[in-house]
């Protein structure tokens, strides 16, 4: 598959995502937070399905929103506080290191890399294999992150 075909495929997927966003409702939290409880209830019912009971979940969402309303709002001036700017800087640094590590470049050029390595007839298949492995590992890490935290996962990666 040429890069033009991949670019067209990426544009089609982005376009499809844009079109599908018009049929997806806002989140129930957003509706409830903005005083539109009935729309929030309809959105939650749509998300959970017509046979689901949503009343308990609605009450949980409403109580969480009330709790959040009692918390003081965040101001951009608070970024200069050490308890805010240190975690923020660490997060930005981790994100930059991930980008600079070249993993995205390797992923984008897997077919070319395998072709150069002499696997011309299997370059596409091996690229798909790499993508599947990345997907599976990412899915597994979603479950592991809650148990072990981010730091051990970052260190293992």
């Amino acid at each position: 598959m040429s890069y033009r075909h991949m670019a067209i495929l990426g544009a089609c997927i982005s376009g499809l995502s844009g079109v599908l966003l018009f049929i997806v409702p806002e989140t129930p939290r957003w509706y409830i937070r903005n005083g539109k409880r009935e729309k929030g209830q309809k959105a939650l019912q749509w998300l959970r399905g017509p046979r689901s009971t949503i009343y308990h979940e609605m009450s949980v969402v409403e109580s969480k929103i009330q709790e959040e309303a009692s918390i003081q709002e965040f101001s951009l001036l608070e970024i200069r506080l050490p308890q805010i700017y240190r975690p923020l800087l660490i997060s930005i640094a981790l994100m930059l290191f991930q980008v600079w590590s070249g993993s995205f470049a390797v992923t984008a050029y897997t077919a070319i890399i395998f072709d150069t390595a002499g696997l011309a007839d299997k370059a596409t298949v091996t690229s798909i294999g790499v993508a599947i492995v990345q997907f599976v590992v990412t899915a597994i890490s979603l479950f592991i992150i809650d148990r072990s935290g981010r730091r051990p996962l970052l260190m293992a990666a």
Side-chain angles (χ1 to χ4, degrees):
M1 179 181 274
S2 73
Y3 72 92
R4 287 188 179 130
H5 291 111
M6 289 181 72
I8 290 170
L9 179 64
C12 290
I13 292 172
S14 296
L16 179 63
S17 296
V19 170
L20 291 176
L21 282 174
F22 287 104
I23 65 169
V24 176
E26 285 286 350
T27 64
R29 273 181 80 78
W30 186 88
Y31 280 128
I32 294 168
R33 194 176 335 127
N34 290 294
K36 300 176 181 180
R37 187 181 190 284
E38 287 183 30
K39 284 187 174 185
Q41 191 170 352
K42 286 180 185 177
L44 186 59
Q45 192 70 58
W46 183 84
L47 288 168
R48 300 296 179 240
R51 295 183 182 161
S52 296
T53 306
I54 59 165
Y55 300 108
H56 175 70
E57 191 172 355
M58 279 291 292
S59 65
V60 169
V61 170
E62 288 172 332
S63 66
K64 290 286 185 186
I65 289 172
Q66 287 175 354
E67 283 178 29
E68 290 171 3
S70 66
I71 297 172
Q72 186 180 16
E73 288 197 29
F74 177 77
S75 167
L76 280 178
L77 296 176
E78 293 179 33
I79 288 179
R80 61 186 175 182
L81 298 173
Q83 63 264 33
I84 302 293
Y85 76 76
R86 285 182 186 147
L88 180 64
L89 288 177
I90 291 170
S91 299
I92 291 171
L94 286 172
M95 188 176 60
L96 289 174
F97 287 136
Q98 182 181 10
V99 171
W100 291 337
S101 72
S103 62
F104 295 124
V106 170
T107 304
Y109 291 101
T110 50
I112 295 169
I113 292 168
F114 285 120
D115 186 32
T116 305
L119 300 169
D121 14 330
K122 299 178 185 176
T124 303
V125 175
T126 51
S127 297
I128 292 170
V130 168
I132 290 170
V133 168
Q134 284 181 327
F135 177 79
V136 169
V137 170
T138 302
I140 292 170
S141 71
L142 290 174
F143 296 106
I144 295 174
I145 199 166
D146 287 334
R147 290 193 185 112
S148 64
R150 287 178 176 80
R151 190 166 187 258
L153 284 176
L154 286 169
M155 292 170 77

